[in-house]
């Protein structure tokens, strides 16, 4: 195995502590006449455990060795794979090197561990290649990733040579992309040890769709129209969804990502204290073949907070133009985002009969940089009853409409008032009561 892995060129830049590199080093040690059996067995079990952890995390099944190698190919972001993501496989000399690597991966797929197992008296690789996973709920792993890995793994198993590998892998890059962005809908960011921003996939994102949000048809249409223009490569605006709490602002954005995921839309959730990293985030995603929504939930600033200045520079006004594949969607309970104080009027000047405050203008200018603003206001009681009855119908509640409205009225009086969130909580309660 070591001789094979050492010949990888495009896909050869793997960390030494990766599973494949560790197993390669173990196989090299096992070929030496003076190898230490117990030590090698311990090292092998350590790598087998890592494969099992990966399989549990992503819901792999059947041949875990093939699943692992497929996952490596899907996640390896190199100039060849990223180019294939953007344009598909093109004619060029690089294809010669890629096919040499795929020839090696084909041999790794077919690698026979029998000799190593007999030499060390183990059977773990035989178990890995014929693995029966314990049934578990979808909440325990990312079903979308699991299905993609196992589907490509089956295609590669049927490939007869490196040409077949080339067609399968490059086709996958073109259809789905490469790396975590190709496999997941949404991400958070965190700083790695070298202070470089890293993306962490959000597994099992809420599967909500826009029809789950009752009412707010005008608001939803504005959001859909702007997002559709964005994913189609047309001009689109940053969006601010503002209004009362519990009215469906965050739900609308999650539903938008679910609806347009197949069109290459991805979401990156970022928190206020991370705004200083916005330029790094943009630098890493601006050349990818996806459309990104940078999502800021419950965005607002107190008078003493200055992070909004990072956001203002990124949205508009910085030296570098914001890339066309990135938009910012934010939700807030405040129309103007930044808390306004009476003392902001202290620097007010009068010019030709008009009053102007530099402090107030600076604070208001952030909200003005969102090209589309959508108001989600608290529903009227009639609208609240409509939301409740529609949700009750979807959840197969057996009470009459009159009974539902009467109980919903009692519920909202003691549970935070009228809102879509209150309605959903009430329906959750009714469903639990009926299920007994």
């Amino acid at each position: 195995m070591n001789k094979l892995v050492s010949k990888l060129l495009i896909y050869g830049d793997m960390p030494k502590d990766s599973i494949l590199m560790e197993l390669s080093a173990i196989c090299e040690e096992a070929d030496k006449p003076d190898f230490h059996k117990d030590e090698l067995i311990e090292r092998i079990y350590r790598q087998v455990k890592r494969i099992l952890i990966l399989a549990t995390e992503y819901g792999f099944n059947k041949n875990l060795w093939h699943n692992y190698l497929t996952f490596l190919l899907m996640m390896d972001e190199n100039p060849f794979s990223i180019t294939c993501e953007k344009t598909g496989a093109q004619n060029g000399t690089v294809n010669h090197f890629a096919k040499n690597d795929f020839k090696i991966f084909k041999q790794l797929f077919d690698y026979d561990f029998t000799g190593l197992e007999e030499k060390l008296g183990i059977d773990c690789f035989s178990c890995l290649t014929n693995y029966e996973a314990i049934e578990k709920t979808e909440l325990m792993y990312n079903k979308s990733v699991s299905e993609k890995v196992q589907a490509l793994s089956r295609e590669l198993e049927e490939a007869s040579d490196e040409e077949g590998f080339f067609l399968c892998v490059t086709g996958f890059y073109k259809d789905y992309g490469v790396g975590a962005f190709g496999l997941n809908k949404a991400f958070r960011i965190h700083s790695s040890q070298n202070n470089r921003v890293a993306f962490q996939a959000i597994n099992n994102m809420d599967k909500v769709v826009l029809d789950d949000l009752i009412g707010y048809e005008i608001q939803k249409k504005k959001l859909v129209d702007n997002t559709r223009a964005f994913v189609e490569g047309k001009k689109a605006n940053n969006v601010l969804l503002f209004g009362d709490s519990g009215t469906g602002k965050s739900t609308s954005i999650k539903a938008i990502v679910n609806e347009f995921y197949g069109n290459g839309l991805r979401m990156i959730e970022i928190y206020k204290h991370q705004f200083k990293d916005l330029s790094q985030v943009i630098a890493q995603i601006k050349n990818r073949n996806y459309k990104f929504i940078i999502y800021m939930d419950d965005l607002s600033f107190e008078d003493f907070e200055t992070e909004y200045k990072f956001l203002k520079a990124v949205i508009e006004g910085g030296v570098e133009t914001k890339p066309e594949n990135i938009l910012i969607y934010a939700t807030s309970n405040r129309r103007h985002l930044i808390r306004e104080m009476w003392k902001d009027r202290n620097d007010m000047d009068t010019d030709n009969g008009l009053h102007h405050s530099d402090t107030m203008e600076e604070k208001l200018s952030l909200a003005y940089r969102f090209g589309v603003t959508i108001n989600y206001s608290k529903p009227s009681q009639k609208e609240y009853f409509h939301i409740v009855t529609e949700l009750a119908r979807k959840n197969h509640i057996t009470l009459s409409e009159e009974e539902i409205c009467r109980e919903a009225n009692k519920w909202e009086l003691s549970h935070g008032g009228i809102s879509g969130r209150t309605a959903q909580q009430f329906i959750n309660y009714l469903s639990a009561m009926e299920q007994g």
Side-chain angles (χ1 to χ4, degrees):
M1 182 183 289
N2 183 63
K3 291 179 181 179
L4 292 174
V5 174
S6 65
K7 294 177 182 177
L8 289 171
L9 178 62
I10 293 175
Y11 293 88
D13 190 22
M14 283 178 279
K16 289 186 177 181
D17 63 349
S18 65
I19 295 173
L20 182 58
M21 296 299 286
E22 290 281 2
L23 288 176
S24 173
I26 290 168
C27 290
E28 184 180 27
E29 286 291 322
D31 287 336
K32 296 178 180 179
D34 58 344
F35 70 87
H36 298 284
K37 180 178 177 179
D38 292 340
E39 179 187 339
L40 289 188
I41 292 174
E42 180 185 352
R43 289 170 62 186
I44 286 174
Y45 283 170
R46 198 177 301 137
Q47 302 313 310
V48 168
K49 181 180 179 181
R50 291 174 68 187
I51 293 176
L52 291 173
I53 291 172
L54 193 70
T56 301
E57 182 178 355
Y58 290 101
F60 297 161
N61 200 5
K62 306 302 182 186
N63 194 320
L64 300 191
W65 175 242
H66 288 176
N67 290 166
Y68 166 67
L69 292 175
T70 302
F71 187 70
L72 277 186
L73 290 169
M74 293 166 70
M75 295 297 291
D76 198 314
E77 296 181 0
N78 57 64
F80 172 75
S81 62
I82 290 177
T83 299
C84 289
E85 172 187 284
K86 293 180 180 178
T87 64
Q90 301 291 318
N91 293 326
T93 307
V94 69
N95 289 355
H96 170 74
F97 298 111
K99 289 177 182 178
N100 280 341
D101 278 11
F102 291 144
K103 183 176 182 179
I104 293 169
F105 266 97
K106 169 64 176 169
Q107 292 174 284
L108 289 172
F109 255 68
D110 299 335
Y111 193 83
D112 187 0
F113 287 99
T114 304
L116 182 63
E117 287 185 323
E118 291 177 350
K119 184 180 291 187
L120 299 178
I122 58 177
D123 64 354
C124 52
F125 292 107
S126 298
C127 295
L128 286 181
T129 53
N130 189 27
Y131 188 78
E132 292 294 332
I134 299 172
E135 288 190 15
K136 49 187 177 290
T137 66
E138 293 177 18
L139 293 176
M140 294 181 66
Y141 64 96
N142 189 322
K143 184 180 180 182
S144 175
V145 174
S146 175
E147 290 175 344
K148 288 187 178 77
V149 172
Q150 294 186 83
L152 181 57
S153 180
R154 288 191 293 270
E155 289 183 31
L156 294 177
E157 288 170 352
E158 296 173 2
S160 58
D161 54 21
E162 63 270 24
E163 290 289 342
F165 255 66
F166 181 87
L167 292 174
C168 290
V169 176
T170 56
F172 181 89
Y173 291 155
K174 178 59 178 173
D175 292 340
Y176 298 104
V178 60
F181 291 136
L183 297 176
N184 300 276
K185 295 178 183 178
F187 304 84
R188 295 188 182 93
I189 67 168
H190 62 89
S191 297
S192 58
Q193 292 180 348
N194 58 1
N195 291 323
R196 179 180 171 83
V197 169
F199 296 94
Q200 178 184 359
I202 299 175
N203 292 331
N204 303 305
M205 181 178 163
D206 193 347
K207 296 179 181 179
V208 64
V209 296
L210 285 170
D211 285 345
D212 293 333
L213 181 63
I214 310 300
Y216 300 98
E217 298 304 323
I218 295 174
Q219 291 89 334
K220 289 189 292 186
K221 186 178 185 305
K222 288 179 70 175
L223 189 60
V224 168
D225 289 347
N226 190 73
T227 308
R228 180 175 288 114
F230 178 48
V231 299
E232 291 177 354
K234 302 174 184 177
K235 293 292 184 182
N237 287 296
N238 301 307
V239 179
L240 172 63
L241 288 71
F242 72 95
D244 299 299
S245 61
T247 50
K249 301 183 294 295
S250 300
T251 298
S252 295
I253 292 181
K254 293 173 189 175
I256 280 290
V257 175
N258 287 330
E259 181 164 338
F260 290 99
Y261 167 66
N263 302 88
L265 185 66
R266 303 293 184 267
M267 182 179 79
I268 298 173
E269 185 175 27
I270 188 167
Y271 302 106
K272 189 162 53 180
H273 69 276
Q274 298 172 318
F275 284 0
K276 65 183 185 302
D277 298 321
L278 271 170
S279 59
Q280 275 196 64
V281 171
I282 291 173
Q284 291 190 50
I285 63 178
K286 65 181 180 181
N287 293 320
R288 298 304 298 269
N289 195 36
Y290 303 97
K291 302 292 185 180
F292 290 94
I293 287 175
I294 296 180
Y295 170 49
M296 303 166 183
D297 190 30
D298 197 19
L299 186 63
S300 64
F301 299 91
E302 296 302 322
D303 184 54
F304 58 87
E305 294 176 311
T306 59
E307 290 91 344
Y308 71 91
K309 295 184 179 181
F310 291 106
L311 181 55
K312 283 175 63 176
V314 167
I315 294 179
E316 184 182 326
V319 174
E320 184 178 9
T321 303
K322 182 169 65 64
E324 293 184 355
N325 69 325
I326 298 171
L327 284 182
I328 294 174
Y329 282 16
T331 67
S332 179
N333 295 337
R334 292 177 180 169
R335 170 65 179 85
H336 292 143
L337 300 178
I338 305 168
R339 187 177 184 183
E340 298 172 53
M341 307 288 287
W342 282 107
K343 66 184 179 66
D344 294 340
R345 299 173 180 266
N346 291 342
D347 62 348
M348 186 171 290
D349 298 321
T350 302
D351 183 15
N352 294 327
L354 296 177
H355 296 284
H356 174 74
S357 165
D358 291 338
T359 304
M360 290 177 65
E361 281 297 316
E362 181 186 14
K363 290 187 171 185
L364 294 175
S365 67
L366 175 58
Y368 293 155
R369 297 191 184 199
F370 289 88
V372 174
T373 55
I374 306 175
N375 180 18
Y376 281 68
S377 57
K378 185 178 294 186
S380 65
Q381 188 170 65
K382 181 179 179 181
E383 290 168 333
Y384 171 67
F385 286 155
H386 172 67
I387 293 171
V388 167
T389 53
E390 283 296 305
L391 289 175
R393 182 182 59 80
K394 288 188 175 186
N395 286 271
H396 310 292
I397 302 298
T398 58
L399 294 176
S400 69
E401 185 171 318
E402 182 180 347
E403 290 176 304
I404 290 170
C405 291
R406 184 170 61 249
E407 294 302 317
N409 190 49
K410 294 177 185 177
W411 180 272
E412 64 90 1
L413 290 173
S414 58
H415 290 83
I418 291 174
S419 72
R421 180 182 295 145
T422 303
Q424 183 63 65
Q425 291 168 347
F426 170 64
I427 294 301
N428 292 344
Y429 167 77
L430 283 187
S431 296
M433 291 300 100
E434 290 206 346
Q435 291 170 9

